[in-house]
């Protein structure tokens, strides 16, 4: 609150004199300030009154002047609008007059041209100037029909028919003379006569006559099918390849002529006509090829065989395993091996031909798109100009206040004309866009060849599947028969050797035993050879089928064959697993266990897995060449255009013209880039889909190989479980070893080893049959399984049953090192990690006192390879007979 303001209600009764003086002084100062403010307000009032008086004198003059100026401006605007309206109406009249004059002049020109056409056609026909006559007929066809008189029209129609007759006569003469230049000349004359398609058809007819040499080649091929021994050999692959090369050369040579003479819009009709001719010849080859190898008969026989086989299997299941339906005799798959090879090559040639046509289609559609885009831009520019005229006319009507009635009608009539013209241009633009879309969506080549090839590939897939399945089954059956023969021969050789040894003298006995041993070795080699041959033959067949599928260049065919091939591999894997189990059961039932056959099955599983990886690598490398990864190509047409500056007027004008030309070229380039991007997008999607399918198939091969490896590991583990009892003697030897020894016994063990020597002999005897018949990888895996099993047992016996002295612990460590050295020699991969826990146990057994336990524990317990727990360490220390058990229990493992 301001101290100068005194509140008399709150004054204290005991106010001092000094305070009163202070309040008085404040009141005096406040009065002076108020007086100064009052003087300023009075002065401001005087100034305001003076200004108001001056406003009362000046404002009326300003308002009068403003009113006058506004009236003048209003008059000028009204007169200007009237003048503009009059001028606009006169301009519209002039435009209408100009349009009528143009129409009149055009009709006059048409009449003059009509007269010239009548005379020119007759003169050109008399002189045999067919190009000139065609030009006059073209001019007649473009003349407005309203100026044509019946007499004139009749004369020109007669002249047109006469010209067409003469052109046809000359064309036939040139066709007989085989004169391509003259044939093309008379075919081009159909363009000005507005019959370009007829001209293209006639030119294609000439090209068809040039293809008659293909008839002779096809006739040669058919004669060879009927009499292969007397006719010079020729294959369908070479015939179909030459047919495709012939028609591709025609397209390559004549398409530029068609484009320049008949127009880009008619290139599609030319290619369609040529491809239809190609279909005619290729269909003959496909039909003859099917007749040569009796494809339909083989397919029907295989389908009947499959149906009968399914009914037979169903009958067996219904009858509980008894009875079977009648099944026709199998067809030897080798009968159509050549058919499969040639079909793959024919498919390759067909795919190359199809890719060539697709590339030509993209180029033609690019030109068509550019042609229609140019027309579309012209239509849009014309439409925009009409819209601008409509907007200007409507604005003029709004600006004019009260136009005369006649002038208003003229404006409305002109507006209606513009609206009609706009609607007409819109319709033309829509039709143009629809026609462009139709041209861009249509396929410009015939698909009959592709359809025929797809039918042939359908038969190929069925026969290829049969070829793979029956070839694999035959290999397995032959292997089974040879295995039985091997077992019978082995049993006979064993019985012969026993009888000869009991009835003959020692020398004779020795020689007979030697003969028996040699027979046994030959039989083992024969068995191993037949098993390897089976796997080699199976994968040779599958590799051949896969190669044919890749060479066909058909992703659908490759997909089907690969899926079927993987199913066959899965069935082969299951068959090998079943055969292995049967061999194990059969060998276990004998007095002397013989695992040779089962071990060979394990080798076959490993070989199969390696072959599948080889198939996968071959598949990846070859499929990458045929189905490459799509790469975007940057268009060189989109490079920026630069222009140099010029100071002179002439240079500037020349520069403007160049800029306009460059802008036009740039627009054309942009149109080309747009259509190419659209077409390349379709190609990119197709290639990406093909690559995705190829990657899926490659992963299937990889998964199939992994399944073989998994089954192999499982079967080796099951084999090891079946032979584990034979390791009982080895473990018993370790159980009998005494490690509660003194210095004398420790020294004696260096001379007379009580355990390691016998242990290695037993293990070597255990591994001997496996080492002879197993592959290196499988044998090594079995060795690792054995090591893991033995060391686990030794670990348990050591902790639970054994007692040690300090020297006994040293002897235990020495034995471990000897065993580790032995296993290292017979193993192909490292085994150090498997001995780590036993070595850690040994490290506690050689401690001299319990005081060393804490230091040893703390030094090693944080190591990532440490495997002993504190409780296990206590159990190990308990086996030392010289350590106090109570002190061991008091140890704290922190």
């Amino acid at each position: 609150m301001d101290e100068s303001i005194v509140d008399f209600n709150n004054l204290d009764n005991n106010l001092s004199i000094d305070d009163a003086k202070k309040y008085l002084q404040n009141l005096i100062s406040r009065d002076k300030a108020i007086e100064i403010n009052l003087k300023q307000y009075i002065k401001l009032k005087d100034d305001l009154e003076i200004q108001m008086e001056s406003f009362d004198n000046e404002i009326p003059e300003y308002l009068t002047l403003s009113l006058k100026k506004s009236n003048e401006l209003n008059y000028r605007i009204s007169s200007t609008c009237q003048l503009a309206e009059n001028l606009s109406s006169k301009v519209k009249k002039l435009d209408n007059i100009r349009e009528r004059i143009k129409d009149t002049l055009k009709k006059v020109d048409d009449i003059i041209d009509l007269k010239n056409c009548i005379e020119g056609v007759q003169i050109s026909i008399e002189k045999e100037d067919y190009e000139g006559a065609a030009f006059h007929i073209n001019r007649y066809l473009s003349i407005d029909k309203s100026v044509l008189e019946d007499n004139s029209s009749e004369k020109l129609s007669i002249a047109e028919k006469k010209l067409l007759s003469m052109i046809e006569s000359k064309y036939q003469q040139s066709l007989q003379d085989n004169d391509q230049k003259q044939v093309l000349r008379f075919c081009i004359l159909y363009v000005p006569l507005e019959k370009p398609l007829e001209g293209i058809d006639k030119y294609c007819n000439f090209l068809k006559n040039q293809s008659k040499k293909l008839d002779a080649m096809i006739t040669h091929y058919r004669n060879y099918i009927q009499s292969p021994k007397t006719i010079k050999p020729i294959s369908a692959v070479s015939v179909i390849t030459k047919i495709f090369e012939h028609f591709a050369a025609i397209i390559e040579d004549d398409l530029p002529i068609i484009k320049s003479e008949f127009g880009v819009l008619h290139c599609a009709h030319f290619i369609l006509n040529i491809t239809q001719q190609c279909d005619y010849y290729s269909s003959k080859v496909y039909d003859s090829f099917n007749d040569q190898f009796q494809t339909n008969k083989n397919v029907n026989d295989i389908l009947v065989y499959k149906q009968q086989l399914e009914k037979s299997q169903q009958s067996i299941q219904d009858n509980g395993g008894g009875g079977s339906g009648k099944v026709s005799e199998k067809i030897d798959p080798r009968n159509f091996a050549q058919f499969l090879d040639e079909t793959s090559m024919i498919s390759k040639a067909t795919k190359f031909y199809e890719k060539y046509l697709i590339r030509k289609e993209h180029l033609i559609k690019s030109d068509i798109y550019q042609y229609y885009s140019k027309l579309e831009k012209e239509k849009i520019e014309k439409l925009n100009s009409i819209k601008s005229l409509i907007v200007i006319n409507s604005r003029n009507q709004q600006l004019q206040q009260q136009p005369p009635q006649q002038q208003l009608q003229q404006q409305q009539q002109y507006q209606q004309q513009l609206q009609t013209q706009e609607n007409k241009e819109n319709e033309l633009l829509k039709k143009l866009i629809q026609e462009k879309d139709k041209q861009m969506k249509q396929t410009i080549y015939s698909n009959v060849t592709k359809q025929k090839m797809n039918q042939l590939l359908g038969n190929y897939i069925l026969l290829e599947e049969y070829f793979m399945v029956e070839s694999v089954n035959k290999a397995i059956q032959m292997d089974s028969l040879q295995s039985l023969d091997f077992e019978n021969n082995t049993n006979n050789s064993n019985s012969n050797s026993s009888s000869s040894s009991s009835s003959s003298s020692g020398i004779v006995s020795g020689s007979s035993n030697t003969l028996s041993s040699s027979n046994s070795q030959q039989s083992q080699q024969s068995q191993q050879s037949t098993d390897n041959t089976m796997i080699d033959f199976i994968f040779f067949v599958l590799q051949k089928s896969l190669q044919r599928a890749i060479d066909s260049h058909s992703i659908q065919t490759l997909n089907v064959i690969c899926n079927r091939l993987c199913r066959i591999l899965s069935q082969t894997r299951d068959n090998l697993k079943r055969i292995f189990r049967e061999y194990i059961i059969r060998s276990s039932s004998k007095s002397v266990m013989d695992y040779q056959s089962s071990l060979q099955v394990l080798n076959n599983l490993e070989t199969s897995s390696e072959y599948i990886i080889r198939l996968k690598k071959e598949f990846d490398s070859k499929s990458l060449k045929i189905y490459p990864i799509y790469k975007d190509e940057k268009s060189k047409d989109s490079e920026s255009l630069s222009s140099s500056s010029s100071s002179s007027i002439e240079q500037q004008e020349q520069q403007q013209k160049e800029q306009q030309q460059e802008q036009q070229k740039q627009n054309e380039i942009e149109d080309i880039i747009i259509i190419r991007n659209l077409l390349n997008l379709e190609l990119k999607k197709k290639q990406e889909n093909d690559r995705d399918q190829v990657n899926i198939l490659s992963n299937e091969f990889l998964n199939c190989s992994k399944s073989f490896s998994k089954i192999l590991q499982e079967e080796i583990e099951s084999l090891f479980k079946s032979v584990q009892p034979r390791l009982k003697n080895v473990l018993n030897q370790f159980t009998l070893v005494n490690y509660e020894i003194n210095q004398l016994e420790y020294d004696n063990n260096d001379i007379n080893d009580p355990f390691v020597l016998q242990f290695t002999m037993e293990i070597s005897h255990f591994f001997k049959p496996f080492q002879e018949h197993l592959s290196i990888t499988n044998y090594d895996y079995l060795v690792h399984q054995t090591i893991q099993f033995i060391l686990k047992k030794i670990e348990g016996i050591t902790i639970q049953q054994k007692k040690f002295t300090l020297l006994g612990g040293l002897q235990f460590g020495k034995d471990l090192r000897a065993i580790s050295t032995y296993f290292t020699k017979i193993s192909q991969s490292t085994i150090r990690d498997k001995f780590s826990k036993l070595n850690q146990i040994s490290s506690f057994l050689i401690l001299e006192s319990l005081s060393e336990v804490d230091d040893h524990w703390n030094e090693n317990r944080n190591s990532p390879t440490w495997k002993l727990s504190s409780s296990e360490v206590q159990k190990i220390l308990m086996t030392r007979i010289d350590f106090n058990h109570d002190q061991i229990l008091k140890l704290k493992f922190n």
Side-chain angles (χ1 to χ4, degrees):
M1 184 175 180
D2 191 355
E3 294 180 356
S4 63
I5 299 176
V6 180
D7 187 1
F8 293 98
N9 295 326
N10 296 329
L11 288 177
D12 192 359
N13 295 328
N14 299 321
L15 185 67
S16 64
I17 296 175
D18 294 335
D19 292 337
K21 289 181 179 179
K22 183 178 179 181
Y23 284 129
L24 179 63
Q25 189 65 32
N26 291 337
L27 290 173
I28 294 171
S29 299
R30 179 185 175 192
D31 290 341
K32 288 182 180 180
I34 292 171
E35 184 178 359
I36 292 171
N37 289 335
L38 286 173
K39 289 181 180 179
Q40 290 178 351
Y41 290 147
I42 292 170
K43 185 178 179 181
L44 181 62
K45 176 185 177 185
D46 295 337
D47 294 338
L48 290 173
E49 289 178 351
I50 293 171
Q51 291 179 3
M52 291 299 295
E53 290 177 358
S54 63
F55 287 158
D56 290 339
N57 296 328
E58 294 177 358
I59 285 175
E61 295 179 1
Y62 287 140
L63 292 176
T64 304
L65 182 61
S66 297
L67 180 61
K68 182 179 179 181
K69 295 291 184 180
S70 298
N71 292 332
E72 291 178 357
L73 181 61
N74 186 26
Y75 174 76
R76 289 179 181 178
I77 291 174
S78 299
S79 60
T80 302
C81 289
Q82 185 66 33
L83 180 62
E85 187 64 30
N86 294 333
L87 183 62
S88 176
S89 61
K90 290 180 180 180
V91 170
K92 292 175 185 177
K93 290 180 180 179
L94 290 175
D95 287 340
N96 293 330
I97 293 171
R98 185 185 63 181
E99 292 297 328
R100 288 198 297 271
I101 290 173
K102 282 183 178 181
D103 294 339
T104 304
L105 291 175
K106 186 177 182 302
K107 289 183 178 181
V108 171
D109 291 337
D110 290 342
I111 293 171
I112 296 172
D113 289 340
L114 180 61
K115 181 179 179 181
N116 293 333
C117 285
I118 296 172
E119 295 176 356
V121 166
Q122 293 175 354
I123 295 172
S124 298
I125 289 176
E126 291 176 357
K127 293 181 178 181
E128 294 187 355
D129 181 11
Y130 303 107
E131 287 78 5
F135 171 77
H136 290 298
I137 295 296
N138 179 261
R139 184 69 187 94
Y140 149 68
L141 294 174
S142 62
I143 291 175
D144 187 3
K145 304 302 179 185
S146 61
V147 303
L148 292 176
E149 298 179 357
D150 295 338
N151 186 25
S152 301
S153 178
E154 184 179 356
K155 288 181 180 180
L156 288 172
S157 297
I158 294 172
E160 180 182 5
K161 292 178 181 179
K162 184 178 180 180
L163 178 62
L164 286 172
S165 176
M166 295 176 68
I167 292 174
E168 177 66 21
S169 177
K170 291 293 183 181
Y171 165 77
Q172 293 295 335
Q173 183 64 37
S174 302
L175 197 62
Q176 292 178 3
D177 297 338
N178 198 20
D179 188 349
Q180 183 175 4
K181 184 176 181 181
Q182 291 298 317
V183 168
L184 180 62
R185 174 196 174 191
F186 292 111
C187 290
I188 292 174
L189 292 177
Y190 285 91
V191 177
L193 299 178
E194 296 186 358
K195 296 181 179 181
L197 297 182
E198 187 175 348
I200 292 176
D201 290 339
K202 289 185 176 295
Y203 186 64
C204 291
N205 185 42
F206 165 76
L207 296 175
K208 183 178 181 181
N209 292 335
Q210 301 298 310
S211 304
K212 287 184 177 180
K213 60 182 181 179
L214 299 176
D215 292 323
M217 186 168 55
I218 294 175
T219 302
H220 178 198
Y221 175 56
R222 287 179 173 175
N223 293 333
Y224 170 71
I225 294 173
Q226 296 175 0
S227 304
K229 296 181 179 180
T230 58
I231 303 298
K232 183 180 178 181
I234 185 172
S235 65
V237 179
S238 61
V239 175
I240 200 72
T241 302
K242 289 180 180 178
I243 290 173
F244 292 150
E245 289 175 352
H246 173 77
F247 287 102
I250 290 176
I251 294 174
E252 197 69 25
D253 295 338
D254 294 316
L255 184 61
I257 298 174
I258 299 298
K259 181 179 178 181
S260 61
E261 300 296 341
F262 293 88
V264 68
L265 296 181
H266 302 300
C267 290
H269 183 74
F270 170 73
I271 291 184
L272 179 62
N273 205 320
I274 296 299
T275 53
Q276 286 175 349
Q277 293 182 24
C278 183
D279 293 340
Y280 169 76
Y281 290 102
S282 63
S283 298
K284 285 185 175 182
V285 177
Y286 291 136
D287 295 339
S288 300
F289 180 70
N290 287 326
D291 295 339
Q292 179 184 4
F293 294 100
Q294 299 180 348
T295 307
N296 296 329
K297 180 180 179 301
N298 288 330
V299 169
N300 292 332
D301 291 343
I302 291 173
L303 293 176
V304 171
Y305 171 76
K306 285 186 175 181
Q307 293 175 358
Q308 292 177 353
L309 186 62
E310 291 177 358
K311 291 180 181 179
S312 175
Q313 293 175 351
Q314 185 66 33
S315 175
I316 293 173
Q317 293 178 359
D318 295 340
N319 297 331
S324 62
K326 183 179 179 180
V327 180
S328 60
E329 185 179 355
K330 288 184 180 180
I331 306 172
D332 190 350
R334 293 174 296 181
N335 293 343
F336 40 81
Q338 184 181 355
F339 167 82
L340 298 176
D341 291 335
E342 293 197 18
T343 302
S344 175
M345 300 307 296
I346 291 174
S347 176
K348 178 180 179 180
T350 306
K351 286 295 179 180
F352 282 168
Y353 174 67
E354 183 183 354
K355 288 180 181 179
Y356 172 79
L357 292 179
I358 291 174
R359 186 167 66 251
K360 287 298 177 183
E361 181 184 32
H362 287 180
L363 293 175
I364 291 173
K365 285 187 175 181
S366 177
D367 294 336
I368 292 174
Y369 184 89
Q370 186 179 358
Y371 172 80
Y372 278 108
S373 297
K374 185 177 181 181
L375 294 180
E376 191 175 339
K377 288 179 181 179
E378 293 176 357
K379 291 291 182 184
I380 291 174
E381 290 177 358
K382 188 174 182 180
L383 189 61
N384 290 334
S385 63
I386 294 173
K387 288 181 179 179
S388 62
L389 290 175
I390 293 174
V391 172
I392 293 173
N393 188 59
S394 60
R395 285 179 181 175
N396 291 335
Q397 291 181 9
Q398 293 174 1
L399 291 175
Q400 189 174 6
Q401 295 178 355
Q402 293 181 354
Q405 186 67 25
Q406 183 179 2
Q407 193 172 3
L408 181 61
Q409 290 178 356
Q410 292 178 354
Q411 290 178 351
Q412 292 177 353
Q413 184 179 2
Y414 181 65
Q415 189 79 0
Q416 289 177 357
Q417 291 177 355
L418 292 176
Q419 290 289 349
T420 303
Q421 191 174 359
E422 181 186 12
N423 294 334
K424 183 179 179 181
E425 293 296 331
N426 279 325
E427 290 295 327
L428 293 175
L429 181 61
K430 288 180 181 178
K431 289 181 179 179
L432 187 66
I433 294 174
Q434 291 175 358
E435 188 176 354
K436 181 181 76 171
D437 294 339
K438 182 180 178 181
Q439 291 279 356
M440 296 304 295
K441 290 179 181 179
Q442 70 173 355
T443 302
I444 68 173
Y445 58 89
S446 176
N447 287 320
V448 175
T449 297
K450 183 178 179 180
Q451 294 171 1
K452 285 278 188 179
M453 189 66 240
N454 289 337
Q455 293 175 4
L456 187 60
L457 285 176
N459 295 332
Y460 161 83
I461 290 172
L462 180 64
L463 296 178
E464 187 72 85
E465 288 181 356
Y466 182 83
F467 177 83
M468 289 191 293
V469 172
E470 292 303 322
S471 299
V472 171
N473 291 339
K474 187 175 182 180
I476 294 174
Q477 291 172 3
M478 291 177 62
D479 177 69
S480 300
L481 293 175
Q482 291 174 355
S483 299
L484 292 175
D485 293 341
F486 164 74
E487 292 183 358
N488 294 331
N489 293 333
T490 304
N491 294 332
N492 293 333
S493 63
N494 291 333
S495 63
N496 292 334
S497 63
S498 61
S499 62
S500 62
S501 61
S502 62
S503 60
S504 303
S505 62
I507 299 175
V508 177
S509 175
S511 63
S512 65
N513 288 332
T514 304
L515 180 60
S516 174
S517 175
S518 63
N519 288 336
S520 177
Q521 292 177 0
Q522 291 176 1
S523 300
Q524 291 174 5
Q525 293 175 359
S526 176
Q527 169 68 6
Q528 186 173 1
S529 176
T530 54
D531 287 333
N532 289 334
T533 303
M534 179 195 73
I535 295 299
D536 292 340
F537 179 76
I538 289 175
F539 278 92
F540 172 77
V541 170
L542 298 182
Q543 182 186 27
K544 190 68 176 177
S545 298
L546 179 62
Q547 181 63 51
R548 282 195 290 257
I550 295 174
D551 290 340
S552 69
H553 285 65
S554 172
I555 189 64
Q556 293 82 5
T557 302
L558 180 62
N559 198 359
V560 173
I561 296 300
C562 286
N563 289 330
R564 186 56 176 150
L565 190 148
C566 289
R567 287 201 300 271
I568 292 173
L569 289 174
S570 299
Q571 293 170 2
T572 304
R573 178 200 62 206
D574 296 338
N575 286 331
L576 290 173
K577 180 178 179 181
R578 175 183 54 80
I579 293 171
F580 174 78
R581 297 292 174 87
E582 291 176 356
Y583 284 154
I584 289 291
I585 296 172
R586 194 181 305 166
S587 60
S588 301
S589 62
K590 297 179 181 179
S591 58
V592 179
M593 301 179 71
D594 182 13
Y595 292 101
Q596 179 180 350
S597 299
S598 57
L599 296 181
Q600 189 58 43
V601 175
L602 295 178
N603 293 338
N604 289 340
L605 283 170
E606 181 197 4
T607 306
S608 300
S609 178
E610 293 175 354
Y611 277 158
I612 294 172
I613 293 297
R614 193 180 303 174
L615 281 178
K616 178 185 179 300
K617 291 180 180 179
E618 183 178 355
F619 171 81
D620 291 339
S621 62
K622 292 184 177 180
S623 60
L624 183 61
K625 296 178 182 178
I626 298 174
Y627 307 102
I629 300 174
Y630 181 83
K631 294 182 180 180
D632 292 327
E633 296 182 356
K634 293 183 179 180
S635 176
K636 297 181 180 179
D637 298 330
S638 58
E639 295 179 354
S640 58
L641 301 174
S642 59
S643 58
S644 59
S645 59
S646 179
S647 57
S648 64
I649 298 176
E650 293 180 356
Q651 290 179 345
Q652 290 180 359
E653 291 179 352
Q654 182 67 23
Q655 184 179 3
Q656 289 179 356
K657 291 181 180 179
E658 291 178 355
Q659 288 179 352
Q660 291 178 357
Q661 293 177 355
E662 289 176 357
Q663 184 64 33
Q664 185 177 359
K665 290 180 180 179
Q666 188 68 23
N667 293 335
E668 293 177 355
I669 290 173
E670 290 177 358
D671 293 337
I672 294 174
I673 293 173
I674 291 172
I675 182 58
R676 287 183 179 176
N677 290 337
L678 292 174
L679 298 174
N680 289 336
L681 183 62
E682 298 178 2
L683 180 62
K684 179 181 179 181
K685 289 181 179 179
K686 184 180 183 304
Q687 290 189 355
E688 288 179 349
N689 291 334
D690 292 348
R691 282 305 310 171
D692 291 341
Q693 292 188 43
V694 168
N695 292 333
I696 291 172
L697 296 176
S698 180
N699 290 331
E700 287 185 4
F701 281 114
L702 182 61
N703 294 332
C704 192
S705 176
K706 289 180 179 178
S707 68
F708 271 83
S709 299
K710 182 179 179 182
I711 292 294
L712 176 61
Q713 293 179 2
E714 292 175 355
E715 298 309 320
I716 292 178
E717 292 172 1
S718 66
L719 172 66
F720 178 72
K721 289 179 181 178
S722 67
V723 298
Q724 279 181 5
R726 296 172 59 183
L727 296 172
K728 185 177 181 181
N729 293 334
V730 177
L731 298 175
N732 286 338
Q733 289 179 11
F734 179 73
T735 305
L736 297 175
V737 176
N738 181 23
Y739 289 104
E740 300 177 44
I741 59 176
N742 54 30
Q743 185 65 46
L744 181 62
E745 292 172 326
Y746 179 79
D747 295 337
N748 187 40
N749 287 341
D750 289 339
I751 302 172
N752 300 315
D753 189 297
F755 169 62
V756 174
L757 183 60
Q758 190 65 26
F759 175 85
T760 55
M761 290 177 62
E762 291 288 341
I763 290 294
S764 298
H765 180 70
F766 172 79
F767 281 139
K768 184 177 180 180
F770 302 108
Q771 188 176 12
E772 291 177 352
H773 302 294
L774 278 178
S775 66
I776 296 176
T777 304
N778 291 342
Y779 174 70
D780 189 62
Y781 187 74
L782 181 66
V783 168
H784 279 259
Q785 291 288 318
T786 306
I787 294 172
Q788 186 174 357
F789 172 76
I790 291 176
L791 296 183
K792 190 71 175 177
K793 291 295 183 181
I794 291 176
E795 176 189 336
I797 295 171
T798 301
I799 297 176
Q800 297 176 5
Q801 300 179 17
K802 291 293 181 181
K803 295 296 181 180
F804 297 87
T805 61
L806 175 59
L807 294 175
L810 293 172
Q811 182 65 41
F812 178 72
K814 187 188 297 183
D815 293 343
L816 283 180
R817 288 191 293 275
I819 294 172
S820 176
T821 302
Y822 169 75
F823 279 131
T824 301
K825 291 180 180 179
I826 66 173
S827 176
Q828 299 294 323
S829 55
T830 180
I831 59 170
R832 183 179 299 178
D833 58 326
K834 292 181 171 55
F835 280 85
S836 59
K837 190 169 184 180
L838 280 175
N839 288 330
Q840 293 169 15
I841 293 174
S842 175
S843 67
F844 281 97
L845 292 176
I846 61 175
L847 296 177
E848 294 183 357
S849 63
L850 291 176
S851 60
E852 300 177 359
V853 173
D854 287 339
D855 294 338
H856 187 67
W857 169 262
N858 292 328
E859 288 177 1
N860 297 285
R861 66 189 180 95
N862 293 325
S863 174
T865 59
W866 191 256
K867 297 183 178 181
L868 294 177
S869 64
S870 58
S871 60
E872 288 177 330
V873 172
Q874 284 185 338
K875 291 180 181 180
I876 294 167
L877 295 175
M878 288 290 186
T879 61
R880 283 283 296 271
I881 60 175
D882 52 338
F883 287 166
N884 189 315
H885 289 189
D886 294 335
Q887 292 180 355
I888 294 173
L889 294 175
K890 291 180 181 179
L891 291 174
K892 295 182 179 179
F893 299 93
N894 298 324

